[in-house]
């Protein structure tokens, strides 16, 4: 049951139109002259993301030298990135290629759920990776005992499933709202801020829920990562040799860059005041955490990690 506004009445009327309700993802419809350029650009980016993250996933599974907990988390992170980008980019490419921008309500809700679920999982997995680096650097003698395979698997599974009830509830709350008038979503995927603008009722409760969930899955992981790295930096500065300090900083710097890029753009999108939300800014920020981060992650990790480079060379030689 959804509410639509009739021109002859002041109050929305209830109508059973769930099956026929569709939204229109405007995406980059305001740039028709760039349509095929954007199609080629995003298709190339999508292929690069799948290939680069797929290669990292493959080498971390096959190379005996990359069987430590750090690379176990990295392989899961690469797999997550491939799933994450596949939720938004294929439909964006279809919309650019066919100009059929309509998306059914169920498909829109499904896309929103998976975007939120995978984004939350990524935040938690980044905090797990920070904890792994904390144990490795601050408690090196106990590292094999603490970060055993069973705990690593539990941490990864926990990262994947913790967000599910929260994001299911949030998605249900959004799509329980009555949508009136225009069904055009000025975005390239079904995201919360542009959908709330289409609701014809007060959305303050929904906005508060968005802030609460964002704090739980963005701010809390960020604080955990910040706490881990404050301990890590303190320990590194106490190392006796400059070479040891340089190696430790190099190991952690890749993870820090990914954290800043992903959590930074995500927190600005969902935690800044409603009055400062503009549709174009939201789209640009969304490009950062849905496309740019998955594209740069393999580059950041591979170019700054000698073990990954060596494993890649062996794979290419074979």
């Amino acid at each position: 049951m959804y509410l639509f506004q009739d021109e002859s009445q002041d109050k929305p009327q209830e109508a059973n139109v769930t099956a026929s309700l569709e939204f229109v993802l405007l995406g980059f419809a305001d740039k028709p002259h760039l349509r095929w350029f954007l199609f080629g650009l995003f298709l190339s980016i999508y292929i690069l993301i799948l290939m680069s993250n797929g290669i990292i996933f493959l080498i971390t599974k096959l190379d005996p030298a990359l069987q430590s907990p750090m690379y176990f988390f990295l392989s899961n992170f690469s797999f997550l990135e491939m799933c994450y980008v596949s939720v938004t980019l294929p439909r964006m490419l279809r919309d650019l290629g066919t100009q059929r921008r309509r998306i059914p309500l169920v498909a829109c809700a499904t896309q929103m759920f998976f975007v939120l679920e995978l984004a939350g999982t990524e935040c938690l997995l980044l905090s797990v990776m920070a904890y792994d680096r904390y144990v490795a650097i601050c408690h090196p003698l106990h590292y094999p005992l603490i970060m055993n395979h069973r705990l690593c698997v539990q941490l990864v599974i926990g990262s994947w499933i913790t967000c599910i009830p929260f994001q299911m509830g949030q998605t249900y709350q959004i799509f329980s709202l009555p949508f009136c008038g225009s069904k055009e979503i000025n975005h390239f995927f079904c995201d919360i801020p542009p959908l709330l603008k289409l609701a014809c009722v007060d959305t303050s409760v929904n906005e508060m829920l968005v802030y609460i969930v964002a704090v739980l899955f963005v701010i809390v992981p960020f604080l955990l990562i910040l706490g881990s790295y404050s301990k890590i930096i303190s320990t590194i500065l106490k190392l006796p040799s400059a070479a040891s300090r340089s190696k430790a900083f190099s190991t952690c710097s890749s993870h820090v860059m990914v954290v800043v890029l992903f959590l930074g753009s995500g927190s600005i999108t969902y935690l800044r005041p409603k009055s400062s939300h503009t549709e174009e800014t939201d789209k640009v920020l969304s490009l950062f955490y849905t496309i740019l981060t998955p594209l740069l992650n393999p580059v950041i990790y591979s170019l700054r990690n000698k073990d990954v480079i060596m494993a890649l060379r062996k794979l290419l030689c074979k």
Side-chain angles (χ1 to χ4, degrees):
M1 291 288 186
Y2 284 84
L3 299 178
F4 290 88
Q5 198 151 16
D6 188 89
E7 293 180 357
S8 62
Q9 296 181 351
D10 293 331
K11 294 183 179 180
Q13 291 185 346
E14 199 168 1
N16 187 14
V17 293
T18 303
S20 62
L21 179 58
E22 289 183 326
F23 295 101
V24 178
L25 287 170
L26 294 181
F28 302 97
D30 58 334
K31 300 176 177 61
H33 56 292
L34 296 176
R35 172 189 167 192
W36 291 111
F37 168 75
L38 291 173
F39 180 85
L41 176 64
F42 289 129
L43 178 61
S44 302
I45 289 174
Y46 185 47
I47 293 171
L48 279 173
I49 290 172
L50 293 182
M51 287 182 61
S52 55
N53 282 284
I55 288 171
I56 288 184
F57 179 80
L58 188 64
I59 61 177
T60 52
K61 293 297 182 184
L62 297 179
D63 196 295
L66 302 182
Q67 300 308 306
S68 66
M70 181 175 75
Y71 296 109
F72 173 74
F73 294 132
L74 181 57
S75 69
N76 280 275
F77 191 71
S78 296
F79 176 72
L80 172 64
E81 295 288 51
M82 290 189 287
C83 295
Y84 189 39
V85 78
S86 295
V87 176
T88 55
L89 263 179
R91 178 167 284 275
M92 188 203 303
L93 291 170
R94 192 209 70 167
D95 292 345
L96 284 168
T98 65
Q99 297 294 288
R100 294 176 57 192
R101 301 187 181 93
R102 295 184 179 276
I103 179 170
L105 180 142
V106 174
C108 190
T110 303
Q111 186 185 55
M112 176 184 284
F113 167 73
F114 279 108
V115 168
L116 296 175
E117 158 63 17
L118 294 171
T121 300
E122 185 158 340
C123 293
L124 294 178
L125 197 54
L126 285 170
S127 62
V128 167
M129 294 168 77
Y131 175 71
D132 172 69
R133 292 299 83 209
Y134 160 74
V135 177
I137 293 173
C138 300
H139 304 283
L141 297 179
H142 298 95
Y143 180 70
L145 182 63
I146 297 174
M147 300 304 295
N148 56 72
H149 183 69
R150 181 180 178 182
L151 177 63
C152 292
V153 172
Q154 289 173 341
L155 289 172
V156 168
I157 293 175
S159 299
W160 278 89
I161 66 174
T162 299
C163 299
I164 292 177
F166 292 93
Q167 305 304 0
M168 285 185 68
Q170 185 162 237
T171 303
Y172 175 79
Q173 287 291 328
I174 297 296
F175 285 90
S176 295
L177 294 171
F179 298 103
C180 306
S182 173
K183 301 299 180 295
E184 295 182 343
I185 303 173
N186 192 5
H187 214 294
F188 57 89
F189 70 93
C190 293
D191 200 9
I192 294 176
L195 266 166
L196 288 179
K197 291 180 181 180
L198 301 182
C200 56
V201 293
D202 179 37
T203 59
S204 56
V205 173
N206 301 88
E207 290 163 16
M208 183 59 64
L209 288 173
V210 171
Y211 280 110
I212 292 171
V213 174
V215 167
L216 284 175
F217 294 105
V218 177
I219 300 302
V220 171
F222 177 75
L223 292 176
L224 292 173
I225 292 168
L226 193 64
S228 296
Y229 275 101
S230 63
K231 294 283 188 180
I232 288 170
I233 292 171
S234 175
T235 302
I236 290 174
L237 293 176
K238 295 176 183 177
L239 294 176
S241 68
S244 300
R245 290 195 296 270
S246 176
K247 183 179 179 181
F249 273 122
S250 177
T251 303
C252 299
S253 59
S254 301
H255 184 251
V256 172
M257 292 170 67
V258 174
V259 167
V260 171
L261 188 62
F262 182 77
L263 292 185
S265 58
S267 60
I268 294 171
T269 301
Y270 292 103
L271 292 173
R272 74 184 195 275
K274 183 182 177 181
S275 58
S276 65
H277 274 270
T278 62
E279 293 170 339
E280 292 306 314
T281 304
D282 284 344
K283 278 197 277 191
V284 171
L285 288 170
S286 298
L287 286 173
F288 269 91
Y289 65 82
T290 59
I291 296 175
L292 189 61
T293 305
L295 177 65
L296 293 180
N297 284 349
V299 178
I300 293 171
Y301 278 112
S302 60
L303 292 182
R304 300 180 63 85
N305 192 303
K306 293 180 180 179
D307 293 334
V308 173
I309 293 173
M310 289 297 297
L312 183 59
R313 285 176 179 171
K314 284 193 285 184
L315 180 67
L316 292 174
C317 289
K318 291 180 180 179

